[in-house]
Amino acid sequence: DTEVTQTPKHLVMGMTNKKSLKCEQHMGHRAMYWYKQKAKKPPELMFVYSYEKLSINESVPSRFSPECPNSSLLNLHLHALQPEDSALYLCASSSEDYYNSPLHFGNGTRLTVT
Amino acid sequence: GQQVMQIPQYQHVQEGEDFTTYCNSSTTLSNIQWYKQRPGGHPVFLIQLVKSGEVKKQKRLTFQFGEAKKNSSLHITATQTTDVGTYFCAGLGDDKIIFGKGTRLHILP
């Protein structure tokens, strides 16, 4: 079981589609993250939100657009993706101190771009 | 840039044997975290080490942080089939957490 909930669990989309990934946590954590994980690779940081403000963007292409509507929710909007963007997308949260607190990951959304 | 190297990449052990994975950083780390990811699952936090020379134990798992805070290890005693998965270290350097590439542990019955 995880306290970070991600939907959907699986997503198949075409290169012209627009879709969104959603993440929710109710642990009172003030830092939320998007990670991308390819098979047999470590998680790769994409974005960090701290207190609902974007604090880190790891030079992610603009076809990925994050949004943090409130302290419990994190979205990732997808548009015009490429097949190489197919991966497991993990949301995570941590307490206020981003630099010193553990990451709590959700189950992830397995994305396939056709 | 900062790197965290993790070895070995894969490890096959007989059930009951011990297992160790090692992480080395090119720079001094503020802390190091360890995560386990089961096949088809998501990374799950195991532990965080902060102090130089720190040693922590969780049942059959022993975690160490080097004196120079540049290396760390995870040792599992008497492995069980439930230990199967990929173990990642994640080191906090200048301003972000860097994951090692992980060690994939296979248990042979």
Short mmCIF file of all heavy atoms in Angstrom, two decimals, chain A residues 23-33 49-53 67-74 91-94:
data_model
loop_
_atom_site.label_atom_id
_atom_site.label_comp_id
_atom_site.label_asym_id
_atom_site.label_seq_id
_atom_site.Cartn_x
_atom_site.Cartn_y
_atom_site.Cartn_z
N CYS A 23 -1.78 12.86 -9.32
CA CYS A 23 -1.15 12.37 -8.10
C CYS A 23 -1.76 13.08 -6.90
O CYS A 23 -2.02 14.29 -6.95
CB CYS A 23 0.35 12.65 -8.17
SG CYS A 23 1.26 12.22 -6.67
N GLU A 24 -1.98 12.32 -5.84
CA GLU A 24 -2.59 12.90 -4.64
C GLU A 24 -1.94 12.32 -3.40
O GLU A 24 -1.67 11.11 -3.35
CB GLU A 24 -4.09 12.60 -4.65
CG GLU A 24 -4.89 13.28 -3.55
CD GLU A 24 -6.40 13.14 -3.74
OE1 GLU A 24 -6.82 12.45 -4.70
OE2 GLU A 24 -7.14 13.72 -2.95
N GLN A 25 -1.68 13.16 -2.42
CA GLN A 25 -1.16 12.71 -1.12
C GLN A 25 -1.84 13.50 -0.01
O GLN A 25 -2.14 14.68 -0.18
CB GLN A 25 0.36 12.83 -1.05
CG GLN A 25 0.93 14.23 -1.23
CD GLN A 25 1.06 15.04 0.04
OE1 GLN A 25 0.96 14.50 1.15
NE2 GLN A 25 1.29 16.35 -0.08
N HIS A 26 -2.08 12.81 1.10
CA HIS A 26 -2.72 13.45 2.25
C HIS A 26 -1.89 13.27 3.50
O HIS A 26 -2.41 13.06 4.59
CB HIS A 26 -4.14 12.88 2.42
CG HIS A 26 -5.06 13.25 1.29
ND1 HIS A 26 -5.54 14.52 1.11
CD2 HIS A 26 -5.55 12.51 0.27
CE1 HIS A 26 -6.30 14.55 0.03
NE2 HIS A 26 -6.33 13.35 -0.50
N MET A 27 -0.58 13.33 3.32
CA MET A 27 0.33 13.21 4.47
C MET A 27 0.78 14.58 4.97
O MET A 27 1.62 14.65 5.87
CB MET A 27 1.54 12.37 4.06
CG MET A 27 1.18 10.92 3.74
SD MET A 27 2.62 9.94 3.25
CE MET A 27 2.84 10.50 1.57
N GLY A 28 0.29 15.64 4.35
CA GLY A 28 0.72 16.98 4.76
C GLY A 28 2.09 17.35 4.23
O GLY A 28 2.69 18.33 4.70
N HIS A 29 2.59 16.57 3.29
CA HIS A 29 3.91 16.86 2.72
C HIS A 29 3.83 18.10 1.84
O HIS A 29 2.86 18.32 1.12
CB HIS A 29 4.41 15.67 1.91
CG HIS A 29 4.80 14.50 2.75
ND1 HIS A 29 5.16 13.28 2.20
CD2 HIS A 29 4.93 14.36 4.09
CE1 HIS A 29 5.48 12.45 3.18
NE2 HIS A 29 5.34 13.08 4.33
N ARG A 30 4.90 18.92 1.88
CA ARG A 30 4.88 20.17 1.12
C ARG A 30 5.78 20.14 -0.09
O ARG A 30 5.87 21.12 -0.82
CB ARG A 30 5.26 21.34 2.04
CG ARG A 30 4.38 21.44 3.29
CD ARG A 30 2.89 21.26 2.97
NE ARG A 30 2.37 22.33 2.15
CZ ARG A 30 1.62 23.32 2.62
NH1 ARG A 30 1.33 23.36 3.91
NH2 ARG A 30 1.16 24.25 1.82
N ALA A 31 6.46 19.04 -0.32
CA ALA A 31 7.27 18.89 -1.53
C ALA A 31 6.71 17.71 -2.33
O ALA A 31 6.45 16.65 -1.77
CB ALA A 31 8.73 18.64 -1.18
N MET A 32 6.53 17.93 -3.62
CA MET A 32 6.03 16.87 -4.49
C MET A 32 6.86 16.83 -5.76
O MET A 32 7.39 17.86 -6.20
CB MET A 32 4.55 17.08 -4.81
CG MET A 32 3.66 16.98 -3.57
SD MET A 32 1.90 17.03 -3.94
CE MET A 32 1.62 15.39 -4.61
N TYR A 33 6.98 15.64 -6.31
CA TYR A 33 7.94 15.40 -7.39
C TYR A 33 7.30 14.59 -8.52
O TYR A 33 6.44 13.75 -8.28
CB TYR A 33 9.12 14.58 -6.88
CG TYR A 33 9.72 15.03 -5.57
CD1 TYR A 33 9.07 14.83 -4.36
CD2 TYR A 33 10.98 15.63 -5.55
CE1 TYR A 33 9.63 15.23 -3.17
CE2 TYR A 33 11.55 16.03 -4.36
CZ TYR A 33 10.88 15.83 -3.17
OH TYR A 33 11.44 16.23 -1.99
N TYR A 49 8.08 20.43 -6.84
CA TYR A 49 7.26 21.52 -6.32
C TYR A 49 7.48 21.60 -4.83
O TYR A 49 7.42 20.59 -4.11
CB TYR A 49 5.77 21.28 -6.60
CG TYR A 49 5.32 21.78 -7.95
CD1 TYR A 49 5.50 21.00 -9.09
CD2 TYR A 49 4.72 23.02 -8.09
CE1 TYR A 49 5.10 21.47 -10.33
CE2 TYR A 49 4.30 23.50 -9.33
CZ TYR A 49 4.50 22.71 -10.45
OH TYR A 49 4.10 23.17 -11.68
N SER A 50 7.73 22.82 -4.35
CA SER A 50 7.87 23.05 -2.93
C SER A 50 6.87 24.13 -2.53
O SER A 50 6.90 25.23 -3.10
CB SER A 50 9.30 23.48 -2.61
OG SER A 50 9.46 23.72 -1.23
N TYR A 51 6.01 23.81 -1.58
CA TYR A 51 4.95 24.74 -1.17
C TYR A 51 4.18 25.25 -2.39
O TYR A 51 3.94 26.45 -2.55
CB TYR A 51 5.53 25.91 -0.36
CG TYR A 51 5.98 25.49 1.02
CD1 TYR A 51 7.27 25.00 1.23
CD2 TYR A 51 5.11 25.53 2.10
CE1 TYR A 51 7.67 24.59 2.49
CE2 TYR A 51 5.50 25.12 3.36
CZ TYR A 51 6.79 24.65 3.54
OH TYR A 51 7.19 24.25 4.79
N GLU A 52 3.84 24.33 -3.27
CA GLU A 52 3.00 24.57 -4.43
C GLU A 52 3.65 25.42 -5.51
O GLU A 52 2.99 25.78 -6.49
CB GLU A 52 1.65 25.18 -4.01
CG GLU A 52 0.90 24.30 -3.01
CD GLU A 52 -0.25 25.02 -2.34
OE1 GLU A 52 -0.96 25.77 -3.03
OE2 GLU A 52 -0.42 24.84 -1.12
N LYS A 53 4.94 25.68 -5.36
CA LYS A 53 5.65 26.44 -6.38
C LYS A 53 6.70 25.55 -7.03
O LYS A 53 7.40 24.79 -6.35
CB LYS A 53 6.31 27.68 -5.78
CG LYS A 53 5.34 28.73 -5.27
CD LYS A 53 6.07 30.00 -4.92
CE LYS A 53 5.15 31.02 -4.25
NZ LYS A 53 3.91 31.25 -4.99
N GLU A 67 1.66 20.76 -13.01
CA GLU A 67 0.73 21.70 -12.36
C GLU A 67 0.50 21.23 -10.94
O GLU A 67 0.34 20.03 -10.70
CB GLU A 67 -0.60 21.71 -13.12
CG GLU A 67 -1.66 22.62 -12.50
CD GLU A 67 -3.04 22.35 -13.04
OE1 GLU A 67 -3.28 21.25 -13.61
OE2 GLU A 67 -3.92 23.22 -12.88
N CYS A 68 0.48 22.18 -10.01
CA CYS A 68 0.23 21.85 -8.61
C CYS A 68 -0.95 22.70 -8.13
O CYS A 68 -0.76 23.80 -7.62
CB CYS A 68 1.47 22.10 -7.77
SG CYS A 68 1.36 21.50 -6.07
N PRO A 69 -2.18 22.20 -8.27
CA PRO A 69 -3.37 22.99 -7.90
C PRO A 69 -3.44 23.33 -6.42
O PRO A 69 -3.93 24.40 -6.06
CB PRO A 69 -4.54 22.08 -8.30
CG PRO A 69 -3.97 21.08 -9.25
CD PRO A 69 -2.53 20.90 -8.84
N ASN A 70 -2.98 22.41 -5.58
CA ASN A 70 -2.92 22.68 -4.14
C ASN A 70 -1.89 21.75 -3.51
O ASN A 70 -1.25 20.96 -4.22
CB ASN A 70 -4.29 22.52 -3.47
CG ASN A 70 -4.87 21.13 -3.65
OD1 ASN A 70 -4.23 20.14 -3.28
ND2 ASN A 70 -6.08 21.03 -4.19
N SER A 71 -1.74 21.83 -2.22
CA SER A 71 -0.64 21.12 -1.56
C SER A 71 -0.79 19.60 -1.60
O SER A 71 0.16 18.89 -1.32
CB SER A 71 -0.53 21.58 -0.11
OG SER A 71 -1.74 21.31 0.59
N SER A 72 -1.98 19.11 -1.96
CA SER A 72 -2.21 17.67 -1.97
C SER A 72 -2.19 17.06 -3.37
O SER A 72 -2.14 15.85 -3.51
CB SER A 72 -3.57 17.33 -1.34
OG SER A 72 -3.62 17.76 -0.01
N LEU A 73 -2.26 17.91 -4.37
CA LEU A 73 -2.44 17.43 -5.73
C LEU A 73 -1.29 17.85 -6.64
O LEU A 73 -0.77 18.96 -6.52
CB LEU A 73 -3.75 17.95 -6.33
CG LEU A 73 -5.05 17.49 -5.66
CD1 LEU A 73 -6.24 18.21 -6.28
CD2 LEU A 73 -5.22 15.99 -5.80
N LEU A 74 -0.95 16.95 -7.55
CA LEU A 74 0.08 17.24 -8.54
C LEU A 74 -0.35 16.59 -9.85
O LEU A 74 -0.75 15.43 -9.86
CB LEU A 74 1.43 16.68 -8.09
CG LEU A 74 2.65 17.02 -8.94
CD1 LEU A 74 2.95 18.51 -8.87
CD2 LEU A 74 3.87 16.22 -8.48
N CYS A 91 5.17 9.61 -9.14
CA CYS A 91 4.99 10.80 -8.31
C CYS A 91 5.55 10.47 -6.93
O CYS A 91 5.50 9.31 -6.49
CB CYS A 91 3.50 11.13 -8.22
SG CYS A 91 3.08 12.46 -7.07
N ALA A 92 6.09 11.45 -6.27
CA ALA A 92 6.59 11.25 -4.91
C ALA A 92 6.33 12.50 -4.09
O ALA A 92 6.11 13.59 -4.63
CB ALA A 92 8.08 10.92 -4.91
N SER A 93 6.35 12.33 -2.78
CA SER A 93 6.22 13.47 -1.89
C SER A 93 7.21 13.33 -0.75
O SER A 93 7.70 12.23 -0.47
CB SER A 93 4.79 13.60 -1.35
OG SER A 93 4.50 12.56 -0.44
N SER A 94 7.50 14.45 -0.10
CA SER A 94 8.34 14.42 1.09
C SER A 94 7.96 15.60 1.97
O SER A 94 7.31 16.54 1.52
CB SER A 94 9.83 14.47 0.74
OG SER A 94 10.18 15.72 0.18
#
